[in-house]
Amino acid sequence: MKLVVEVVDAYNLMPKDGQGSASPFAEVDFLNQLSKTKTIPKNLNPVWNQELFFDFDKTINHNHHYIELSVYNERRPIPGRNFLGRVRISCSNIVKKGEEVYQRFQLEKKWFFSSVKGEIGLKIYISPEPETKSPPKSPTPATSNPSLPTLTATSVPQNTNSDCRTSVALPNSELAVVNAPETLTEKEIPSVALIQNFPSPTESNSGAPAKKPKVEAIEQIHKHQILQRPSLSVEKRPQGVPFTMQPVNPQGHPGDLDDYDLKDTNPQLGERWPNGTGYGGRGWMSAERFSSTYDLVEQMFYLYVRVEKAKDLPPSSITGSCDPYVEVKLGNYKGRTRHFEKKINPEWKQVFAFSKDRIQSSILEVFVKDKEMIGRDDYLGRVVFDLNEVPTRVPPDSPLAPQWYRLEDRRGTGKVRGEIMVAVWLGTQADEAFSEAWHSEASSVYGEGVLNIRSKVYVSPKLWYLRVNVIEAQDVVPDDRNRLPEVFVKVQVGSQVLKTKTCSSPTTNPLWNEDLVFVVAEPFEEQLLITVEDRIHQSKEVMLGKTLLPLNIFEKRLDHRPVHSRWFNLEKYGFGVLEADRRKDLQFSSRVHLRVCLEGGYHVLDESTMYISDQRPTAKQLWKQPVGILEVGILGAEGLLPMKMRDGRGSTDAYCVAKYGQKWVRTRTILDTFNPKWNEQYTWEVYDPCTVITMGVFDNCHLGGGEKPNAGNGARDSRIGKVRIRLSTLEAHRIYTHSYPLLVLHPHGVKKMGELQLAVRFTTLSLANMIYVYGHPLLPKMHYLHPLTVNQVDNLRYQAMNIVAVRLGRAEPPLRKEVVEYMLDVDSHMWSMRRSKANFFRIMSLLSGMISVSRWFGEVCKWRNPITSVLVHILFLIMIWYPELILPTVFLYMFLIGLWNYRFRPRHPPHMDTKLSWAEAVHPDELDEEFDTFPTSKSQDLVRMRYDRLRSVAGRIQTVVGDIATQGERFQSLLSWRDPRATALFIVFCLCAAVVLYTTPFKVVALVGGLYYLRHPRFRSKLPSVPSNFFRRMPAQTDSLL
């Protein structure tokens, strides 16, 4: 049975939009089933005439249950809502269908201070016949009338965080089929209704065009989780073919916006999963023992085979030598070592890892073969292991010692010449050999691709700021002796080039005293190139001298103490190459005066200050003790999208990169799966909790050409998504296990690329150190004693990112430039209309609280709610007579608010918010502009259109800034005698006010002023006040603007 609540209309609602009106909608709650009507804009007497359906179990006694209907005003453009009133209706008086009548209910308050008025009209009844029909679990063809269209439903991703229900009603002339990716159950979506009256044969055969069905979506979702649903479109199909209902402009996965939410997970972490899982009775661990090193990941068991070396191998009867290699075979998987030429006692020291989940055999075979240039390789012998006899080993156990085994013949009936040293054991991914082992899951990778799929830990290079203070130069001789040179100095370190200003007056002894700052990395590979140049004219510059200096000769300073300056001789351009003998004849040379040092007291910023992960200075002597430990278990990913084509089908070879501080980690690459499982755990020392760890998922495009025949060095690893977690939002010693959506902004909109499953734990080491850190400056003290300019910070950050990308790209395997740039947000400084809108609405959301308080106070002054106004007057009198209670009361009030909000504290870390980022409602042209190159690569007409749009936006900003300046100039003109009459009146008023305030106690003045401001509307005028009129007549400097 269905409970039907028909929301008809409302009357005389309270205006809430600040303009004397409201945009109301009604929300009905019945037994945690939540449904709402559409919003009627700008109407205090709205008419909805909308039916809302709820599940009604007649076997349950509903006499003590209530239907709660609330009316809200929908705020625009800042998302939110204002309470307009509510009604609670007992279910004991509900009638059946046909007996319902229209009733009006007076809206009630929800809180004591609520400002509510108006009535709402309803019809409530129980429908004995179901108004809606749930879609069948499995579609079946109609047997009674084959010509009728069938109803099919496929699944949507199950939302574990909310009880989502959607009611969709179609017109009587059409039928729509909900097309979604997974099968729905009645429990998940119990109220999806498709109502159909099939057309008559005459209608179907007529030539009149069929009307497209309209879909009206009524939301029924769980309390506290109300999200805006995407609009639905119904596509018309020929008769006999079912319609398909899909979201308009699908972004990412089909389904609701719940897919963009953070989801709780419950993985079987190692600390809850015993290790006693070995073959047979040889396992060395009991079932009560638990993992201690990998307790934030799910344990994955591997069969490890370490091939150390062989000895006394028989030479070939034909060549008289032996080119041995080892082949390890387990079921259908084969691993192979490299071969040695002409060596009967080879050493391989190579480890093979076979996933226990894919073991297809009970025996392990280790073959030793002799590689032949022509024909089949010769068989030298083998060793066979029974997996039931393999021991189990998990760190911190010591490594298993390898043993010598005699080789057997093919049939295993006898021994042959030669021995091989092998160790075989069953372990987990916590084993030391895991990262360097050959994995059976990557058996198709060869060549350099084997190195590119391994997990690695990287360390960012140690970065320094190099400060070059160019003081002066002496005896600068120009090429043209008849003119004095216009000299400037150009300083170059690697690819970084900076110039001083040209000396103000032509002279042979110029003076500059300018600071130039560069970024350099240890070990210092570049040199400092100083050149003195003469500007002949605007487009011609002539080098007068240069000097090349190594960086390791300069002093490293840790504070702001001055560094000794030095003179450096300049080499005449051209000397030393063609005229080496003449250099000795020179009696003197030009020289330059420099003060150069390596700054160790700064933190070199290589990432955005908004997402900074490390704030320590460069010099290790200035580091503080760590305040905590961050442990991250990278469990896996779910539902990744195909990133490339392989053998005519989509494929993804995913790996994850995490960056915190100077430590970068990269998981191994899981080949050809959309649901990779890494289960790798990493640890970082935390020196400041107000930092951010960044994790990104990428598709590996460097597998040795195995995935693409044309893959070359130009291939780039594709970005799948990124997750940021701020450590200060984590509770100490708690394990957070969540699935984070991987959201990427594409030129056609935001898209969900999958989900990343993580387990995070932040452990604090000392509460006293933690408290000290919160009162300590964010950056080292040199950033405040000798701050860098904004332009310097931006330029140096860009140079630092380039240096980090180059150095990490030289590692093995390389962490490629596109990965480093994506992790460090290299393009975060670029212009974006979307980001500008997002930041604007962030500011508006901050001001909305102040605006709401001012509106509330205005209603108090207008006596909209007499009880509230009386209470405010009483509070005001208490503050007047006891002013010493004001500050203690304010702090006590904030304390109580904090305690109250503790109940509603966030239970999970924040994640990427598409609404906050303004990524859902962004215009396609704005996205196209955001993804444009710099400089632009678009057509001239498109660039002109965007320039005009930017001018219009800047014009509005210019108007607002001008209005703010006008108000400030009016305030200044009160005493400037720009308007002599106004200034005279103002100073006379100030004299009178001073006399009154000197002779009257302050409490009396405050009391009179407060009561006058809170006076009843009967004593108010609708015209502006006298002080406001006087202030607006003050002159401003707008009259002097051109």
Side-chain angles (χ1 to χ4, degrees):
M1 301 184 71
K2 294 293 178 181
L3 171 67
V4 183
V5 178
E6 184 178 348
V7 184
V8 182
D9 57 8
Y11 173 73
N12 194 24
L13 297 179
M14 177 69 70
K16 284 287 185 178
D17 62 355
Q19 300 175 1
S21 184
S23 300
F25 68 90
E27 191 175 76
V28 182
D29 177 22
F30 175 67
L31 300 181
N32 289 332
Q33 301 178 64
L34 204 62
S35 183
K36 69 178 183 180
T37 66
K38 58 188 177 183
T39 301
I40 306 297
K42 301 293 183 181
N43 196 335
L44 297 180
N45 302 294
V47 178
W48 291 286
N49 286 323
Q50 189 168 347
E51 295 181 347
L52 307 179
F53 301 93
F54 302 88
D55 292 331
F56 190 86
D57 190 354
K58 62 180 181 180
T59 61
I60 301 177
N61 184 8
H62 292 280
N63 291 334
H64 301 289
H65 295 159
Y66 287 88
I67 302 169
E68 182 171 335
L69 184 145
S70 301
V71 183
Y72 296 96
N73 166 58
E74 186 174 8
R75 289 204 305 248
R76 291 296 180 185
I78 304 173
R81 58 185 186 179
N82 303 108
F83 179 74
L84 298 180
R86 71 170 182 174
V87 174
R88 295 191 71 194
I89 305 168
S90 175
C91 294
S92 58
N93 299 324
I94 299 178
V95 297
K96 296 181 180 180
K97 184 178 181 181
E99 301 177 2
E100 74 274 11
V101 294
Y102 173 79
Q103 293 179 282
R104 276 197 173 181
F105 297 89
Q106 186 72 32
L107 294 177
E108 302 171 352
K109 298 181 180 181
K110 194 172 186 179
W111 303 284
F112 182 77
F113 296 103
S114 298
S115 181
V116 171
K117 70 175 183 177
E119 300 176 344
I120 188 167
L122 303 173
K123 290 183 182 180
I124 305 175
Y125 59 91
I126 299 173
S127 175
E129 298 179 359
E131 295 286 335
T132 62
K133 297 181 181 179
S134 299
K137 296 183 179 178
S138 58
T140 57
T143 56
S144 59
N145 191 351
S147 63
L148 297 180
T150 58
L151 176 64
T152 60
T154 50
S155 91
V156 293
Q158 182 179 359
N159 187 351
T160 59
N161 291 338
S162 61
D163 180 14
C164 300
R165 306 176 183 183
T166 305
S167 177
V168 182
L170 295 184
N172 295 336
S173 59
E174 303 287 357
L175 174 66
V177 177
V178 180
N179 189 12
E182 291 175 16
T183 302
L184 297 173
T185 63
E186 292 184 2
K187 185 175 181 180
E188 293 169 350
I189 302 184
S191 57
V192 174
L194 300 177
I195 308 174
Q196 173 197 11
N197 288 336
F198 296 106
S200 62
T202 306
E203 293 176 352
S204 61
N205 295 332
S206 63
K211 295 182 179 180
K212 290 189 176 181
K214 298 180 181 179
V215 177
E216 181 182 3
I218 303 174
E219 301 172 338
Q220 295 185 2
I221 55 181
H222 198 274
K223 270 188 174 181
H224 314 301
Q225 300 193 12
I226 302 176
L227 296 176
Q228 184 180 0
R229 303 293 186 191
S231 58
L232 299 177
S233 66
V234 180
E235 184 180 357
K236 188 73 171 66
R237 301 292 181 86
Q239 186 173 358
V241 180
F243 292 90
T244 302
M245 185 162 56
Q246 298 175 338
V248 176
N249 296 328
Q251 299 175 348
H253 288 290
D256 296 335
L257 293 182
D258 290 343
D259 283 345
Y260 294 163
D261 287 345
L262 200 68
K263 299 179 182 178
D264 292 320
T265 59
N266 188 25
Q268 300 258 341
L269 299 184
E271 63 178 358
R272 292 176 280 176
W273 211 48
N275 288 340
T277 315
Y279 283 92
R282 292 278 317 266
W284 295 350
M285 305 183 66
S286 63
E288 287 77 19
R289 179 169 177 177
F290 294 84
S291 172
S292 58
T293 56
Y294 267 38
D295 59 342
L296 293 183
V297 294
E298 297 177 342
Q299 283 190 341
M300 302 173 66
F301 281 91
Y302 291 86
L303 177 68
Y304 289 97
V305 182
R306 179 185 294 276
V307 180
E308 285 286 337
K309 53 186 175 181
K311 66 180 180 180
D312 197 22
L313 297 179
S316 173
S317 58
I318 300 176
T319 61
S321 62
C322 182
D323 303 331
Y325 69 91
V326 174
E327 183 180 88
V328 181
K329 181 180 179 182
L330 180 63
N332 294 330
Y333 294 101
K334 291 182 181 180
R336 178 174 165 177
T337 67
R338 63 187 185 277
H339 76 278
F340 292 97
E341 295 184 359
K342 300 179 180 180
K343 198 168 186 179
I344 62 175
N345 298 312
E347 293 186 8
W348 292 284
K349 297 185 181 298
Q350 188 168 347
V351 181
F352 299 85
F354 299 88
S355 176
K356 181 188 173 186
D357 297 334
R358 301 188 179 185
I359 292 179
Q360 303 171 347
S361 176
S362 60
I363 62 171
L364 171 71
E365 298 176 284
V366 180
F367 296 95
V368 182
K369 296 184 178 182
D370 181 13
K371 185 173 180 61
E372 296 291 342
M373 298 298 295
I374 302 175
R376 296 180 59 183
D377 297 340
D378 292 340
Y379 173 88
L380 300 181
R382 71 168 185 171
V383 178
V384 180
F385 296 89
D386 186 357
L387 298 189
N388 293 317
E389 299 296 325
V390 172
T392 302
R393 182 253 170 181
V394 172
D397 293 348
S398 299
L400 189 67
Q403 300 179 23
W404 287 104
Y405 294 90
R406 288 285 302 275
L407 298 179
E408 301 176 351
D409 57 14
R410 292 180 181 272
R411 298 182 180 180
T413 57
K415 303 296 183 181
V416 296
R417 178 182 172 183
E419 296 181 57
I420 185 172
M421 180 179 282
V422 180
V424 182
W425 71 95
L426 188 69
T428 66
Q429 73 270 36
D431 202 291
E432 294 88 350
F434 177 79
S435 60
E436 297 295 334
W438 173 94
H439 288 268
S440 58
E441 302 165 348
S443 57
S444 61
V445 180
Y446 57 88
E448 294 183 358
V450 176
L451 297 176
N452 290 327
I453 65 173
R454 290 178 176 172
S455 58
K456 286 292 179 182
V457 176
Y458 305 85
V459 178
S460 295
K462 190 175 184 180
L463 301 177
W464 294 78
Y465 282 146
L466 176 68
R467 186 185 296 272
V468 181
N469 179 222
V470 183
I471 303 174
E472 59 180 332
Q474 285 185 355
D475 302 327
V476 177
V477 181
D479 292 341
D480 185 2
R481 302 299 179 93
N482 297 324
R483 58 177 292 274
L484 292 176
E486 298 180 7
V487 186
F488 67 93
V489 176
K490 182 168 69 177
V491 184
Q492 180 174 357
V493 180
S495 60
Q496 307 173 61
V497 180
L498 294 177
K499 299 179 181 179
T500 66
K501 297 179 181 177
T502 304
C503 190
S504 57
S505 60
T507 177
T508 58
N509 298 308
L511 177 67
W512 298 281
N513 197 21
E514 291 187 30
D515 272 355
L516 307 177
V517 185
F518 303 86
V519 179
V520 295
E522 288 187 354
F524 301 126
E525 299 176 351
E526 298 88 2
Q527 290 185 318
L528 180 65
L529 176 61
I530 308 290
T531 59
V532 178
E533 301 186 11
D534 180 16
R535 186 184 300 275
I536 304 298
H537 51 77
Q538 195 67 26
S539 60
K540 184 178 181 181
E541 299 165 353
V542 177
M543 182 183 297
L544 302 180
K546 69 174 182 178
T547 182
L548 195 62
L549 306 172
L551 298 181
N552 51 15
I553 67 172
F554 301 123
E555 183 180 354
K556 299 177 180 178
R557 72 172 184 178
L558 308 182
D559 50 20
H560 58 283
R561 61 181 176 83
V563 179
H564 296 293
S565 60
R566 297 170 61 181
W567 288 94
F568 296 95
N569 292 330
L570 295 175
E571 178 183 344
K572 181 67 176 177
Y573 182 68
F575 278 141
V577 180
L578 300 177
E579 305 179 20
D581 296 336
R582 291 187 54 193
R583 181 184 278 177
K584 299 178 181 179
D585 299 335
L586 294 176
Q587 299 298 322
F588 66 92
S589 64
S590 303
R591 59 178 185 168
V592 63
H593 194 193
L594 304 176
R595 183 181 286 113
V596 186
C597 66
L598 293 164
E599 299 281 7
Y602 290 89
H603 169 72
V604 180
L605 296 168
D606 61 345
E607 53 194 346
S608 174
T609 54
M610 298 294 102
Y611 325 119
I612 194 169
S613 63
D614 189 13
Q615 300 166 347
R616 293 172 293 170
T618 300
K620 196 171 183 179
Q621 298 92 322
L622 302 179
W623 292 3
K624 306 294 184 182
Q625 292 295 322
V627 298
I629 299 294
L630 173 65
E631 299 166 277
V632 177
I634 305 175
L635 304 179
E638 292 287 341
L640 299 182
L641 298 183
M643 303 300 297
K644 55 178 174 284
M645 299 300 294
R646 178 186 291 134
D647 299 331
R649 60 183 179 84
S651 177
T652 299
D653 306 314
Y655 66 92
C656 182
V657 175
K659 194 266 181 187
Y660 182 77
Q662 296 181 353
K663 180 179 177 181
W664 299 65
V665 300
R666 168 179 172 161
T667 66
R668 69 190 188 281
T669 300
I670 306 298
L671 302 181
D672 198 16
T673 178
F674 301 138
N675 302 297
K677 297 293 183 183
W678 293 294
N679 284 306
E680 299 183 21
Q681 182 172 339
Y682 299 95
T683 304
W684 287 268
E685 289 183 334
V686 177
Y687 293 86
D688 194 317
C690 302
T691 47
V692 177
I693 181 173
T694 305
M695 285 156 286
V697 182
F698 302 88
D699 176 56
N700 197 334
C701 296
H702 300 82
L703 303 180
E707 81 287 0
K708 294 180 184 177
N710 299 326
N713 295 330
R716 295 169 58 90
D717 289 351
S718 304
R719 59 183 69 171
I720 298 179
K722 182 166 54 179
V723 171
R724 298 191 194 100
I725 300 176
R726 184 169 292 274
L727 271 58
S728 58
T729 62
L730 304 178
E731 297 179 12
H733 311 287
R734 175 186 168 186
I735 298 178
Y736 290 84
T737 55
H738 293 96
S739 181
Y740 296 80
L742 297 172
L743 304 178
V744 175
L745 193 65
H746 291 280
H748 54 272
V750 66
K751 191 172 186 179
K752 180 180 176 182
M753 308 296 289
E755 296 179 358
L756 179 62
Q757 297 176 348
L758 300 173
V760 183
R761 177 172 59 204
F762 176 49
T763 305
T764 57
L765 302 178
S766 171
L767 180 60
N769 287 343
M770 188 69 67
I771 296 175
Y772 168 76
V773 165
Y774 271 90
H776 199 68
L778 287 174
L779 295 171
K781 64 179 181 180
M782 285 294 290
H783 287 269
Y784 307 99
L785 298 179
H786 290 278
L788 302 170
T789 64
V790 176
N791 289 336
Q792 281 182 321
V793 170
D794 291 339
N795 294 332
L796 293 174
R797 173 178 172 249
Y798 180 75
Q799 299 298 336
M801 285 191 295
N802 286 338
I803 293 175
V804 171
V806 170
R807 292 292 180 93
L808 294 180
R810 288 158 52 180
E812 191 63 40
L815 199 60
R816 304 191 180 275
K817 182 179 181 180
E818 61 269 18
V819 175
V820 177
E821 290 181 348
Y822 182 59
M823 297 289 289
L824 295 180
D825 291 293
V826 68
D827 57 349
S828 61
H829 65 285
M830 299 298 292
W831 159 258
S832 169
M833 180 71 76
R834 176 189 59 84
R835 288 199 194 104
S836 301
K837 289 182 179 179
N839 292 330
F840 172 77
F841 284 104
R842 286 172 61 196
I843 295 175
M844 293 303 297
S845 65
L846 293 177
L847 299 178
S848 63
M850 301 173 58
I851 296 173
S852 300
V853 171
S854 64
R855 289 176 179 173
W856 171 82
F857 192 73
E859 292 180 355
V860 169
C861 296
K862 296 177 181 178
W863 289 73
R864 293 284 177 85
N865 191 330
I867 297 178
T868 304
S869 298
V870 170
L871 291 177
V872 171
H873 278 73
I874 295 174
L875 179 63
F876 173 70
L877 294 176
I878 295 174
M879 292 170 59
I880 291 297
W881 294 113
Y882 302 98
E884 64 274 7
L885 297 181
I886 295 177
L887 285 180
T889 304
V890 170
F891 285 106
L892 179 61
Y893 181 67
M894 290 190 292
F895 170 77
L896 295 176
I897 289 177
L899 287 183
W900 177 261
N901 290 340
Y902 181 78
R903 299 173 54 204
F904 312 104
R905 66 190 185 278
R907 303 292 180 175
H908 53 76
H911 63 288
M912 303 292 184
D913 191 338
T914 55
K915 292 185 177 179
L916 181 65
S917 304
W918 208 254
E920 296 177 357
V922 62
H923 194 275
D925 182 68
E926 295 175 1
L927 280 178
D928 185 65
E929 180 184 15
E930 183 172 347
F931 283 90
D932 191 9
T933 58
F934 188 85
T936 182
S937 59
K938 300 299 181 180
S939 62
Q940 184 176 358
D941 294 338
L942 185 59
V943 174
R944 183 182 293 110
M945 183 272 293
R946 291 174 178 173
Y947 174 67
D948 293 339
R949 181 178 61 193
L950 189 61
R951 288 176 61 192
S952 65
V953 174
R956 291 193 291 268
I957 298 175
Q958 172 183 287
T959 302
V960 174
V961 174
D963 292 342
I964 296 174
T966 299
Q967 303 305 321
E969 291 167 356
R970 285 174 176 172
F971 185 79
Q972 290 179 343
S973 64
L974 289 173
L975 298 173
S976 67
W977 293 92
R978 177 63 64 89
D979 185 344
R981 286 171 293 277
T983 303
L985 290 173
F986 182 71
I987 62 175
V988 170
F989 168 78
C990 291
L991 177 62
C992 298
V995 172
V996 171
L997 293 177
Y998 272 125
T999 58
T1000 308
F1002 176 75
K1003 290 184 179 180
V1004 175
V1005 175
L1007 178 62
V1008 172
L1011 293 178
Y1012 175 78
Y1013 192 78
L1014 295 173
R1015 67 191 184 279
H1016 195 273
R1018 184 176 300 174
F1019 305 104
R1020 292 178 181 273
S1021 172
K1022 294 184 178 181
L1023 298 178
S1025 62
V1026 173
S1028 175
N1029 294 332
F1030 183 82
F1031 182 76
R1032 290 178 180 177
R1033 291 178 179 273
M1034 290 293 101
Q1037 296 185 9
T1038 53
D1039 306 334
S1040 303
L1041 292 177
L1042 292 176

